[in-house]
Amino acid sequence: MFDLTPLYRSTVGFDRLARMLNEASAFDAPTYPPYNIEKLSDDEYRITMAVAGFAPEDIVVEVKGNSLTVAARKSEKQEQAGEFLHQGIASRAFERRFQLADHVQVLSAGMENGLLHVALKREVPEALKPRTIPVNGVEGPKVIEARKAA
């Protein structure tokens, strides 16, 4: 556990980061379902989750603020044709949360071959992008009169 008290004394606005660090160290991350986070380019990412046994209508992808939640629950309507002698494909309900950085947008979500793909992109507003300010030539002081004072 980290003591973040010195951080609070010398910074402003980093309380959310400190809270996230405390929360991350406070619990063990769930391991189901397995997932990958890929960086496709400087501003594009993809989360891929193994969701074998779930249909697209069983999965809910929700964005609220800077939090992405992926949840799945098997519908009650699906019936089994027989009994399992061994069930290695888990299809239990789950809820997985991801904290998104500022300006990261969820573009789309789709399923293919038992994998859920969530496309993300960082779109920094133009006003927040770094910009170069041109430095113009500095003129010397303007002379009001050309003669010296007596």
Side-chain angles (χ1 to χ4, degrees):
M1 186 83 159
F2 301 103
D3 180 20
L4 300 174
T5 307
L7 179 68
Y8 292 125
R9 286 183 287 192
S10 61
T11 60
V12 176
F14 286 93
D15 52 335
R16 182 170 160 237
L17 175 64
R19 188 175 62 248
M20 284 174 48
L21 288 172
N22 279 333
E23 289 173 1
S25 64
F27 70 95
D28 294 328
T31 59
Y32 178 78
Y35 66 94
N36 295 334
I37 300 176
E38 301 170 74
K39 183 174 183 177
L40 303 175
S41 70
D42 285 343
D43 293 325
E44 294 182 27
Y45 302 87
R46 180 172 59 191
I47 297 173
T48 301
M49 300 179 76
V51 292
F54 289 99
E57 56 269 10
D58 297 332
I59 298 173
V60 176
V61 178
E62 180 181 72
V63 179
K64 186 175 182 182
N66 284 5
S67 180
L68 166 66
T69 304
V70 179
R73 185 164 275 105
K74 282 293 239 184
S75 62
E76 304 271 334
K77 300 175 186 175
Q78 296 174 349
E79 296 181 15
Q80 298 173 2
E83 72 179 79
F84 288 106
L85 298 178
H86 172 76
Q87 186 174 8
I89 300 173
S91 58
R92 62 184 180 261
F94 69 86
E95 181 174 295
R96 171 81 63 166
R97 294 181 191 270
F98 299 92
Q99 285 299 118
L100 302 177
D102 291 337
H103 313 297
V104 172
Q105 305 294 321
V106 177
L107 299 179
S108 65
M111 281 186 63
E112 181 181 9
N113 299 325
L115 298 173
L116 173 69
H117 301 285
V118 180
L120 307 161
K121 184 171 185 176
R122 180 184 310 131
E123 295 179 347
V124 179
E126 198 64 37
L128 298 178
K129 289 183 181 178
R131 57 191 172 115
T132 303
I133 309 300
V135 178
N136 295 327
V138 179
E139 295 180 20
K142 292 187 178 182
V143 178
I144 298 176
E145 290 186 21
R147 42 185 191 163
K148 291 183 182 179

